[in-house]
Amino acid sequence: MEKVKTLIIGSGPAGYTAAIYAGRADLKPVLYSGMQPGGQLTITTVVENFPGYPNGVDGTQMMMDMKEQAARFGADLRDGSIEKVDFSSRPYHLTDERGNEIEADTVIIATGASAKYLGLPDEEKYRGQGVSACATCDGFFYRKRTVAVVGGGDTACEEALYLSSLAKKVYMIVRKPYLRAAEIMQQRVKEKENIEILFETNTLGLFGENGVEGAHLVRHKGEANEEEFDIAIDGFFLAIGHKPNTDLFKDYLELDEQGFIKVIPGTASTKLPGIFAAGDVADPVYRQGIVAAGSGAKAAIEADRYLQTL
């Protein structure tokens, strides 16, 4: 049984920042990088809104830089995932996918969230070439162009409004005959001249030679008046929600109705002493790399303070 002061699960901006801070505090952190080393930023193209990179930076490159920095401060960075946790007694027990058992005094959960996709093969095909799940990350590349947003909730309306200030035209592809968003959001979207809402519409696929050039849609699917049509677009944004990667912890930690880990407001602390959550796994609101990095720093500082009380 390996004994560890601080175990970090996940390797996005939150996990790596936590490792940098924990390493500098001499907590000898062990980090498991998980299923998607580097996290969601590795599937965006260029990150332009992270301070310190005036010309933008490739998302994968930025995560490699953070990884290198964490290693410099002595973090033990491991490939692989934590498969099982037992938070019923302290120190906490965790098992990795090779069956190795770890006893940890503190655990920082930074497993992130995964954007929900429609499940079309074309989404994979054009990922990073017109398909995105983050308007604030990638919207800038679509100035004066035409884009589509899939979804009818608050997030979809927010993304559509954000994109409408940049793009020439924004289509909203909404499965239902109405929007699910808050009244005020619906109002704003409907008042925007360059947003067109396509109700009762589903996406069948995407097409284009060098990236997305259009979408195949169907209106009134499965009904007598079903009609298929195409729209010309340069970008296809998914806004049908994010699923936090919290299945592993649901028996021990408090989750909100969407499955995000609940932390004590203003902190990275969960209700279990010595267990912290950072980044998108505990953030249904902002979901930005810079916010995740900041919460990773908070988690490591709180872990250090907690260890000093033991």
Side-chain angles (χ1 to χ4, degrees):
M1 171 91 65
E2 182 182 9
K3 289 182 171 20
V4 168
K5 275 192 201 173
T6 299
L7 184 76
I8 300 165
I9 312 172
S11 61
Y16 282 141
T17 306
I20 290 166
Y21 273 73
R24 291 185 78 240
D26 202 27
L27 305 184
K28 301 183 173 50
V30 171
L31 178 147
Y32 275 82
S33 62
M35 295 290 286
Q36 192 179 17
Q40 293 181 83
L41 282 184
T42 59
I43 57 171
T44 61
T45 38
V46 179
V47 179
E48 291 193 315
N49 52 7
F50 202 98
Y53 294 98
N55 301 315
V57 59
D58 175 78
T60 304
Q61 183 59 50
M62 187 166 97
M63 289 300 98
M64 281 161 63
D65 291 347
M66 284 193 191
K67 181 180 182 179
E68 201 178 308
Q69 199 171 350
R72 185 160 85 82
F73 292 117
D76 179 349
L77 307 172
R78 302 177 182 178
D79 291 331
S81 304
I82 295 292
E83 299 277 286
K84 210 161 87 198
V85 303
D86 179 359
F87 292 164
S88 58
S89 61
R90 290 182 281 170
Y92 299 113
H93 288 87
L94 305 96
T95 311
D96 71 15
E97 90 273 23
R98 295 181 193 88
N100 300 319
E101 294 190 17
I102 297 165
E103 206 172 76
D105 293 323
T106 57
V107 178
I108 295 174
I109 299 166
T111 47
S114 306
K116 292 182 187 165
Y117 285 83
L118 296 171
L120 303 169
D122 290 342
E123 288 171 316
E124 273 303 313
K125 181 178 168 187
Y126 294 109
R127 189 181 282 189
Q129 291 182 287
V131 170
S132 169
C134 179
T136 33
C137 312
D138 300 326
F140 185 79
F141 303 113
Y142 297 92
R143 291 179 87 90
K144 308 272 188 286
R145 299 172 83 180
T146 302
V147 297
V149 174
V150 182
D154 283 319
T155 306
C157 288
E158 275 169 29
E159 306 263 278
L161 285 165
Y162 175 78
L163 289 164
S164 72
S165 63
L166 297 164
K168 182 173 65 184
K169 177 166 180 123
V170 180
Y171 290 103
M172 281 188 81
I173 301 169
V174 184
R175 214 179 42 192
K176 298 198 159 79
Y178 54 86
L179 293 171
R180 290 191 329 279
E183 235 7 270
I184 182 128
M185 291 301 288
Q186 296 192 35
Q187 205 48 48
R188 283 181 193 152
V189 163
K190 287 170 181 168
E191 283 168 4
K192 267 287 188 181
E193 285 167 17
N194 63 338
I195 297 179
E196 183 181 338
I197 307 171
L198 306 172
F199 288 113
E200 297 182 78
T201 301
N202 289 55
T203 308
L204 298 174
L206 303 167
F207 59 89
E209 286 299 308
N210 305 305
V212 172
E213 291 172 14
H216 300 299
L217 307 178
V218 57
R219 198 178 275 129
H220 308 300
K221 192 178 179 183
E223 295 171 38
N225 57 344
E226 172 178 307
E227 58 161 324
E228 292 188 14
F229 63 104
D230 291 349
I231 54 170
I233 52 171
D234 305 296
F236 185 78
F237 288 84
L238 291 132
I240 50 177
H242 280 71
K243 185 187 181 303
N245 303 319
T246 51
D247 288 351
L248 200 55
F249 316 107
K250 61 178 188 285
D251 295 341
Y252 301 100
L253 296 176
E254 264 190 81
L255 307 178
D256 72 7
E257 56 281 1
Q258 294 169 275
F260 290 90
I261 294 174
K262 284 187 177 180
V263 289
I264 296 160
T267 76
S269 302
T270 69
K271 65 168 191 178
L272 287 182
I275 304 234
F276 308 92
D280 284 14
V281 76
D283 178 9
V285 182
Y286 302 105
R287 296 196 306 272
Q288 296 297 305
I290 188 72
V291 178
S295 69
K298 278 161 68 165
I301 292 167
E302 288 170 32
D304 186 27
R305 287 179 185 163
Y306 169 78
L307 286 165
Q308 287 173 30
T309 67
L310 293 183

